[in-house]
Amino acid sequence: QVQLVESGGGLVQAGGSLRLSCADSRRTFGRYGMGWFRQAPGKEREFVAAISGIRGSSYVADSVKGRFTVSRDNAKNTLYLQMNSLKPEDTAVYYCAATSSISTMYYTTAGEYDYWGQGTQVTVSS
């Protein structure tokens, strides 16, 4: 069973930064596509960022482009989301997601992911 453990959430003022981490239990972590999603109260879960396996190609949603960066450290089996210039509308529970298929593609829809972390709360105050 794949385990994803997120960390790094918290309370920050608008304009501040946070870095989320997601530790993956698989030794072959580097082969699989990974993603970040978020869900605000009363809203549907939405795509934030994704990074492919093997090549590490990445993509971020338009709503966070220029502010958020997704990266991975395959030696540490860890996925990151660096969040800068945070806004109150970024407040949400952030989820790490992982695929189970070896691929060089990244994925932007939740249905393409097989494993999910427990979520970490990010709150941005105005």
Side-chain angles (χ1 to χ4, degrees), residues 59-120:
Y59 179 79
V60 298
D62 287 343
S63 59
V64 303
K65 194 163 292 182
R67 300 188 297 123
F68 291 12
T69 303
V70 59
S71 63
R72 64 194 302 160
D73 185 335
N74 293 337
K76 296 182 178 179
N77 293 358
T78 302
L79 174 74
Y80 300 101
L81 184 67
Q82 178 66 45
M83 305 185 295
N84 299 327
S85 302
L86 282 161
K87 304 176 181 180
E89 51 263 45
D90 294 319
T91 296
V93 177
Y94 283 71
Y95 297 91
C96 168
T99 65
S100 62
S101 300
I102 298 173
S103 173
T104 58
M105 297 177 63
Y106 53 74
Y107 303 96
T108 62
T109 58
E112 293 171 307
Y113 291 88
D114 303 291
Y115 308 106
W116 293 83
Q118 80 286 356
T120 185

